[in-house]
Amino acid sequence: MNIRSIIKKFLAFFLPVAGAIYLSVYIRSAVLDVVYTDYIRIINTYLYHPFSPALYFRKDALTRLPVTFFERMINVKFFKYSTMFDMSLGIIFLAMMGIVIGIFMAKKDLKIRYIILVMMLVFSLSQWEMLTNGTGWVHFFTFFLFVLHFYILDLYVQRETAVKLFLNIFLPVFTIIMAAGSYSLAYGATLICAYIFYYVYRKKKIGLSMCIPVVTVLVVFMYSYINSDTVNAGATSESIVTVFSRDPLYFLYFGLNTFASDIVSVELVKYFDINTVKTGVLGAVVIVFYMYALYLNFKHRIYENTIFPLLLLISGLFSHAMVILTRWIFLDRMYAMSSRYSLQFGAGLIGVILTFACMKLGGNKSKFSLVSKLAIPVFVLLVFAGNVLTAGNEMRMAKYRMESFETKMKVAKNFEHESDETLKTVLQYHSPKKIREALRLIKSKKLNIFSE
């Protein structure tokens, strides 16, 4: 074993640990342990009886993310319902996801520069909104499960074993039932494509059989989703035809901006005053590289050595498609550039970068074309620059976010004497009445900011 291989194996574990420490330092500098926004809904829904599973045994059970029931019990019992505990848990699962990707990159002996870039994407501060809102921990858990399953599926395709087959049946069922929520559709669609490809490519009938449990749990999820109460505050009630007839370019720019967000966050767009035409052009460039990476997977037959980058890439494309189809209703061209979507879009971008890194794997002797030699380094530098600028901007914003949380803490503790408008604005929830109910409840139970 040469020194480079040793270094890569070291980086596979060291960089995720370093990334977790980096995000923990950011959290400590930008956030206080106080409930707000989504926590208000969760408190009113579940904390009257936090140890009762009754609320989960309903027609909309899968949309309630059942795994959160167990985590919430632990949080209430041992941590007085700490949002900081939730945030720390999210970082832990993000680090675990990074370790899985790191192991893949080390085993494939990828170049160190790609390992570092991918880890920068995994721990990007473009995810700040999910990181600083503790309810996002379950999303990091879900994407850890996605990546773990994609890795195991890749291993199974390369060498079939009974244990890997069992995991390929069990993991999607567990993930969709317990944690995935609306992410299930993009995840399930990716798996169905992968299993069908496995059937066609390897002539293995088991590929079609593996679709059955995925389709089954997706049907159960859709039944659960149809029976859920979905509230989209601020969404339009107009039809897609009406919106299109009024603003034909809206959907084009909305879609392009979802891809532009892979490189620049909406915070950077506002800070540098970038208009939608420029973000649209950037989004078009990103789409071109997604398609180019997809093309390279088949041209260079990368799938013969690994399908892991392809799975991440396709899941990212499906995630972009799902956001476009479901979030246009907010009538904001920049809406999908929000930090809350960075995690799911990031998987696709990692797949693109890993595709470029894997082009010379195994016995593939294809020469890089002139386009590849010129375009790939430019795109890699673009991704790197976007990540560095985002990190720098978020470090700059940390003190302002802390000031915002100090205000949240002050208002939440004094909720009985604050105006409805102040509660609504500062604690970022649409119903002052519900805010008061939630804070009154945790005060009576001595939880979170009212814990002793």
Side-chain angles (χ1 to χ4, degrees), residues 275-288:
N275 62 41
T276 54
V277 174
K278 292 177 181 177
T279 57
V281 171
L282 180 59
V285 170
V286 175
I287 290 173
V288 167

Side-chain angles (χ1 to χ4, degrees), residues 311-348:
L311 291 171
L312 290 171
L313 195 163
I314 292 174
S315 71
L317 286 173
F318 277 127
S319 291
H320 278 285
M322 290 303 301
V323 170
I324 292 168
L325 291 171
T326 60
R327 297 303 174 190
W328 67 266
I329 56 178
F330 292 98
L331 301 184
D332 181 353
R333 291 180 177 185
M334 295 292 186
Y335 186 86
M337 296 189 76
S338 169
S339 172
R340 75 192 66 173
Y341 302 113
S342 179
L343 175 64
Q344 61 196 100
F345 293 165

Side-chain angles (χ1 to χ4, degrees), residues 394-407:
E394 281 309 312
M395 289 300 183
R396 179 184 67 83
M397 289 295 295
K399 65 178 181 179
Y400 300 112
R401 300 203 193 286
M402 177 58 77
E403 289 173 2
S404 173
F405 271 90
E406 288 172 348
T407 301

Side-chain angles (χ1 to χ4, degrees), residues 146-192:
F146 288 171
V147 169
L148 177 64
H149 183 207
F150 290 160
Y151 180 66
I152 292 172
L153 177 56
D154 182 37
L155 294 178
Y156 178 77
V157 170
Q158 304 308 320
R159 182 172 176 270
E160 299 173 3
T161 67
V163 173
K164 293 173 192 171
L165 176 60
F166 168 76
L167 289 173
N168 274 293
I169 293 171
F170 170 76
L171 277 174
V173 173
F174 174 83
T175 301
I176 293 172
I177 288 176
M178 296 299 292
S182 58
Y183 297 132
S184 299
L185 299 178
Y187 172 56
T190 302
L191 292 181
I192 291 169

Side-chain angles (χ1 to χ4, degrees), residues 164-356:
K164 293 173 192 171
L165 176 60
F166 168 76
L167 289 173
N168 274 293
I169 293 171
F170 170 76
L171 277 174
V173 173
F174 174 83
T175 301
I176 293 172
I177 288 176
M178 296 299 292
S182 58
Y183 297 132
S184 299
L185 299 178
Y187 172 56
T190 302
L191 292 181
I192 291 169
C193 289
Y195 293 151
I196 292 174
F197 175 74
Y198 181 55
Y199 166 72
V200 173
Y201 167 53
R202 289 284 179 86
K203 309 298 182 186
K204 299 281 189 176
K205 292 183 179 179
I206 190 67
L208 295 180
S209 299
M210 290 164 74
C211 290
I212 296 173
V214 175
V215 172
T216 301
V217 289
L218 281 178
V219 170
V220 174
F221 169 75
M222 287 307 300
Y223 172 79
S224 187
Y225 181 80
I226 291 169
N227 285 283
S228 65
D229 294 323
T230 304
V231 178
N232 289 313
T236 183
S237 58
E238 294 179 308
S239 70
I240 190 170
V241 175
T242 302
V243 174
F244 180 80
S245 62
R246 184 176 64 249
D247 185 4
L249 293 179
Y250 168 72
F251 293 96
L252 173 64
Y253 280 111
F254 187 89
L256 290 174
N257 283 341
T258 69
F259 285 91
S261 68
D262 284 4
I263 307 296
V264 296
S265 65
V266 71
E267 286 77 21
L268 282 179
V269 170
K270 293 176 180 177
Y271 184 72
F272 290 106
D273 196 24
I274 304 172
N275 62 41
T276 54
V277 174
K278 292 177 181 177
T279 57
V281 171
L282 180 59
V285 170
V286 175
I287 290 173
V288 167
F289 277 95
Y290 263 86
M291 295 302 103
Y292 187 49
L294 196 60
Y295 163 75
L296 291 176
N297 267 284
F298 293 95
K299 180 180 185 296
H300 289 269
R301 303 177 74 87
I302 295 171
Y303 60 81
E304 292 184 348
N305 190 281
T306 176
I307 62 169
F308 187 66
L310 187 59
L311 291 171
L312 290 171
L313 195 163
I314 292 174
S315 71
L317 286 173
F318 277 127
S319 291
H320 278 285
M322 290 303 301
V323 170
I324 292 168
L325 291 171
T326 60
R327 297 303 174 190
W328 67 266
I329 56 178
F330 292 98
L331 301 184
D332 181 353
R333 291 180 177 185
M334 295 292 186
Y335 186 86
M337 296 189 76
S338 169
S339 172
R340 75 192 66 173
Y341 302 113
S342 179
L343 175 64
Q344 61 196 100
F345 293 165
L349 186 59
I350 290 171
V352 172
I353 299 300
L354 286 179
T355 295
F356 298 154

